[in-house]
Amino acid sequence: MEKIRTFEELENASASCIKCLSDKLAGFEGKRAIVLCGGTGCISSHSTEIMEEFKKQLEEKGLENEVSVNQVGCFGFCSQGPFVKIYPEDTLYRLVKIEDVSEIVETDIVGKEVVSRLLYVDPKTGEKVTKQEDINFYKKQRRIALHACGQINPEDIHEALGAGAFKGLARALKMTREEVVNEVLNSGLRGRGGAGFPTGRKWMFAMNGDGDKYVVCNGDEGDPGAFMDRSILEGNPLGVIEGMVIAGYAIGAQNGYFYVRAEYPIAVNRLKIAIKQAEEAGLLGDNILGTDFSFRVHIRLGAGAFVCGEETALLNSIQGQRGMPRPRPPFPAVKGLWDRPTIVNNVETLACVPFILREGAEEFAKCGTEKSKGTKVFALGGKVNNVGLVEVPMGTTLKELIYDIGGGIPNGKKFKAIQTGGPSGGCLTEEDLDAEIDFDNLVARGSMMGSGGAIVMDEDNCMVDVAKFYMEFICDESCGKCSPCRIGTRRMLEILTKITDGKATMDDLTQLEEISKTIKDGSLCALGQTAANPVISTLTHFKDEYIAHIVDKKCPAKVCKNLMQYKINPDICKKCSLCAKQCPVGAITGVVGKEAFVIDPQKCIKCGMCMSSCKFKAISKE
């Protein structure tokens, strides 16, 4: 791409790219386009191989000049991937396999008829849905941070320009730095990394600092089950880069750093491609768009430490030091990277900035609640039918998230809780389903927004076991710098293990509650200060389960292995021996055709193989 040196050249390039992208999606001159989901989830399910098979078969039929094929960002509906979409008809196929390619080419591309069996089927009505926007999963979503993800090729700057890339930067560069900061302030944008601090206020602190300054993008996404930042970087990396450049202009910085987990190779690779293309186009580097503003972007890879999601630990890691938090104040906006004023924003926050500058603060503020403006991206997972990435306006209720977008709980099971905010958050119950999602509302109910993880649990989940799972994670990820977190979390895990093993007393429960308060009040950084949240919230809502484990020595959900056992009902047993054949430790005995089989509780390792193999439902957990 030729260098873009002025605002006028950017406007002309954008207009040309808009036309090209529009023509592609509208089937200009009879041409058609096939796009495939290029997110990590779909790529792991052979999306790239499917794309190559499309190219091969189209070439064999001489259609390569009439039909384009490429990958785009995440479609969001991960449980239904890999996706293939056909333009201009906008036909969406899901759960596509390599062997389906020939049928799509023959039936749809050549015969121009829909392959009905690959369409999404509405589970309530049983009707097949052709277009993406008609699927319930998408109806209540609004894409701002996920702008253009699933629409453009993330490795092509022309398509990004066609989707509005760098229009926000162009407007920002015509404004004063103070005006840009005020625009972000007026939008009401709050940090999407978890704390919800007003983004414009953070920028203002750094803007008023002296000397060299830095912008850091926190892409160290570590919550179990979270993949919001990864999907944004994979789907539209130039949108995040644009947000960083705008932030750099606003505070007077000339360098920005992306700190991304090394476990995100696709995101990192696409980020590198986007940076290179932006530099070649003159949208990064010296004198951007003919102004006196220069800005360069660098990438640093994290080694996977959860604590490096905390901004001061992240800054230490960038500097080549051990990822451990610093005492605050001073805050990074005053004394951050190399002791210079630094703003640290996460991926989703920076992805919202171009929209604010492109469309205006008022347009952004129209969406959301009074104190939480805009949208929030969630990684919706766990015991829910529609697993995937969703972006909803602030103020959407938990019920809408779980039942309208998520499609409810599988297998007719009863909803029990939803854990928001990952290990730092807490669980919300059926009483909270009508609660509106925003920063302050979730905190008031004992949880938090966090970076956007949302794990749904049903009646088969043991809440003590859930608290233990998160505490194991926290213990592994604690940096060990401060005693309350280093020692306290380990002690809490020991008590939780005693409870799930059936060896605890009520005194242990009292200790658990006391240690929770100590860790919360005495830890140095947010990891330790919020480490006890899953325990506190489960004790608040499900204390009866803790008591059942301790007093009755039973796990109500039949999850904790040491408190349950498998039994074979002799009246139902068909004496077929299938369960005995599947048992890896020989704990099941009986005589085929003559004697009902029996499980020896002393030998049983409670793997569940017998129960899953029994076709007659003769085996149960007690």
Side-chain angles (χ1 to χ4, degrees), residues 60-75:
E60 289 174 353
K61 295 182 180 298
L63 297 172
E64 66 272 19
N65 294 323
E66 298 177 29
V67 185
S68 63
V69 183
N70 70 327
Q71 284 186 332
V72 294
C74 180
F75 279 70

Side-chain angles (χ1 to χ4, degrees), residues 529-571:
Q529 291 163 8
T530 60
N533 282 359
V535 173
I536 293 171
S537 66
T538 51
L539 276 170
T540 299
H541 298 294
F542 301 99
K543 194 167 185 176
D544 58 322
E545 289 196 25
Y546 282 85
I547 294 173
H549 282 70
I550 295 169
V551 177
D552 302 329
K553 307 301 180 186
K554 289 185 178 180
C555 175
K558 299 180 178 65
V559 170
C560 300
K561 289 185 176 182
N562 288 340
L563 298 179
M564 63 90 172
Q565 62 182 16
Y566 288 89
K567 286 190 176 181
I568 300 175
N569 187 329
D571 296 329

Side-chain angles (χ1 to χ4, degrees), residues 20 43 78 83 205 208 255 281 318 321 350 456 464 478 530 538 573 609:
C20 289
I43 287 177
C78 302
F83 284 99
F205 292 148
N208 293 329
N255 286 279
I318 290 178
Q321 301 166 351
L350 291 178
V456 180
V464 184
S478 174
T530 60
T538 51
C573 179
M609 289 296 294

Side-chain angles (χ1 to χ4, degrees), residues 60-257:
E60 289 174 353
K61 295 182 180 298
L63 297 172
E64 66 272 19
N65 294 323
E66 298 177 29
V67 185
S68 63
V69 183
N70 70 327
Q71 284 186 332
V72 294
C74 180
F75 279 70
F77 203 171
C78 302
S79 58
Q80 292 291 312
F83 284 99
V84 171
K85 183 181 272 194
I86 313 292
Y87 290 104
E89 296 83 2
D90 208 26
T91 304
L92 183 70
Y93 297 123
R94 92 288 182 265
L95 297 172
V96 177
K97 300 177 182 177
I98 293 178
E99 50 266 33
D100 297 324
V101 172
S102 57
E103 185 177 358
I104 294 174
V105 172
E106 287 289 346
T107 305
D108 193 319
I109 303 302
V110 177
K112 297 184 178 179
E113 293 183 7
V114 173
V115 182
S116 179
R117 70 178 183 85
L118 294 175
L119 295 176
Y120 175 76
V121 179
D122 189 300
K124 293 182 180 178
T125 65
E127 296 180 359
K128 294 183 176 180
V129 184
T130 305
K131 298 182 183 296
Q132 180 176 335
E133 61 266 23
D134 293 331
I135 298 175
N136 286 332
F137 178 80
Y138 295 102
K139 285 182 178 179
K140 292 192 174 182
Q141 294 193 49
R142 184 182 178 189
R143 291 198 161 194
I144 292 179
L146 289 169
H147 171 70
C149 292
Q151 181 184 5
I152 65 169
N153 180 352
E155 299 180 14
D156 188 344
I157 193 172
H158 298 88
E159 293 201 7
L161 289 170
F166 294 100
K167 284 187 175 182
L169 175 62
R171 178 172 175 244
L173 292 177
K174 294 176 183 178
M175 303 163 67
T176 66
R177 301 184 192 281
E178 292 80 3
E179 288 173 338
V180 175
V181 172
N182 286 332
E183 189 81 1
V184 176
L185 269 173
N186 294 335
S187 72
L189 176 64
R190 295 171 65 174
R192 299 305 198 245
F197 190 81
T199 304
R201 195 181 303 172
K202 183 183 286 189
W203 289 15
M204 184 177 291
F205 292 148
M207 179 184 67
N208 293 329
D210 298 321
D212 293 337
K213 301 172 186 178
Y214 300 95
V215 179
V216 173
C217 176
N218 184 351
D220 190 60
E221 185 174 47
D223 288 4
F227 53 99
M228 301 77 59
D229 294 348
R230 186 195 74 199
S231 295
I232 294 172
L233 289 174
E234 289 177 354
N236 187 8
L238 281 166
V240 188
I241 292 170
E242 181 184 1
M244 178 182 276
V245 179
I246 292 170
Y249 173 75
I251 71 167
Q254 293 188 338
N255 286 279
Y257 287 84

Side-chain angles (χ1 to χ4, degrees), residues 258-563:
F258 277 94
Y259 187 86
V260 186
R261 298 175 76 83
E263 294 97 324
Y264 288 176
I266 298 171
V268 171
N269 183 57
R270 289 179 182 171
L271 193 55
K272 288 178 179 178
I273 292 170
I275 291 170
K276 182 180 179 181
Q277 290 182 346
E279 289 173 342
E280 292 173 349
L283 297 168
L284 280 177
D286 296 327
N287 305 114
I288 297 173
L289 295 178
T291 67
D292 60 358
F293 173 61
S294 301
F295 194 83
R296 286 176 172 77
V297 172
H298 316 273
I299 299 176
R300 294 291 184 271
L301 300 184
F306 180 67
V307 73
C308 286
E310 197 277 337
E311 58 183 9
T312 61
L314 182 154
L315 297 178
N316 279 343
S317 183
I318 290 178
Q319 294 176 187
Q321 301 166 351
R322 185 176 178 182
M324 301 176 80
R326 311 171 184 173
R328 297 183 298 177
F331 291 92
V334 177
K335 191 176 181 181
L337 199 59
W338 293 294
D339 293 334
R340 307 308 309 162
T342 305
I343 55 172
V344 183
N345 292 132
N346 91 317
V347 170
E348 187 182 341
T349 307
L350 291 178
C352 291
V353 170
F355 179 93
I356 294 168
L357 272 296
R358 185 174 65 244
E359 307 293 338
E362 289 185 5
E363 188 62 30
F364 184 85
K366 286 179 182 177
C367 183
T369 64
E370 183 180 353
K371 294 184 179 180
S372 298
K373 303 297 184 182
T375 59
K376 182 70 189 80
V377 182
F378 286 96
L380 185 63
K383 305 289 186 66
V384 65
N385 282 307
N386 300 338
V387 173
L389 196 71
V390 304
E391 183 172 4
V392 295
M394 295 282 195
T396 301
T397 66
L398 288 171
K399 183 182 288 183
E400 290 176 297
L401 179 67
I402 296 167
Y403 289 95
D404 295 344
I405 297 172
I409 316 301
N411 305 316
K413 295 285 186 176
K414 185 179 178 182
F415 168 79
K416 190 171 191 177
I418 179 171
Q419 176 87 13
T420 63
S424 302
C427 65
L428 300 169
T429 66
E430 198 170 22
E431 297 176 358
D432 304 303
L433 285 177
D434 291 322
E436 293 186 344
I437 296 170
D438 69 15
F439 289 101
D440 305 313
N441 201 16
L442 294 185
V443 170
R445 291 174 177 269
S447 186
M448 65 186 297
M449 185 85 71
S451 58
I455 308 298
V456 180
M457 290 164 274
D458 69 9
E459 60 192 82
D460 292 334
N461 286 101
C462 169
M463 302 311 293
V464 184
D465 184 64
V466 168
K468 178 185 169 186
F469 165 80
Y470 282 116
M471 194 53 61
E472 287 174 337
F473 179 85
I474 290 294
C475 283
D476 286 342
E477 297 295 340
S478 174
C479 74
K481 185 172 185 177
C482 68
S483 298
C485 181
R486 182 182 68 251
I487 301 172
T489 56
R490 180 60 58 184
R491 181 64 184 132
M492 289 180 72
L493 178 58
E494 290 171 359
I495 295 173
L496 287 168
T497 302
K498 284 179 69 177
I499 294 173
T500 56
D501 285 347
K503 299 176 181 179
T505 66
M506 291 301 292
D507 287 339
D508 289 312
L509 192 61
T510 301
Q511 280 191 38
L512 188 66
E513 293 174 316
E514 291 175 353
I515 297 172
S516 297
K517 295 174 184 176
T518 302
I519 293 175
K520 194 176 185 70
D521 295 337
S523 295
L524 174 62
C525 78
L527 183 146
Q529 291 163 8
T530 60
N533 282 359
V535 173
I536 293 171
S537 66
T538 51
L539 276 170
T540 299
H541 298 294
F542 301 99
K543 194 167 185 176
D544 58 322
E545 289 196 25
Y546 282 85
I547 294 173
H549 282 70
I550 295 169
V551 177
D552 302 329
K553 307 301 180 186
K554 289 185 178 180
C555 175
K558 299 180 178 65
V559 170
C560 300
K561 289 185 176 182
N562 288 340
L563 298 179

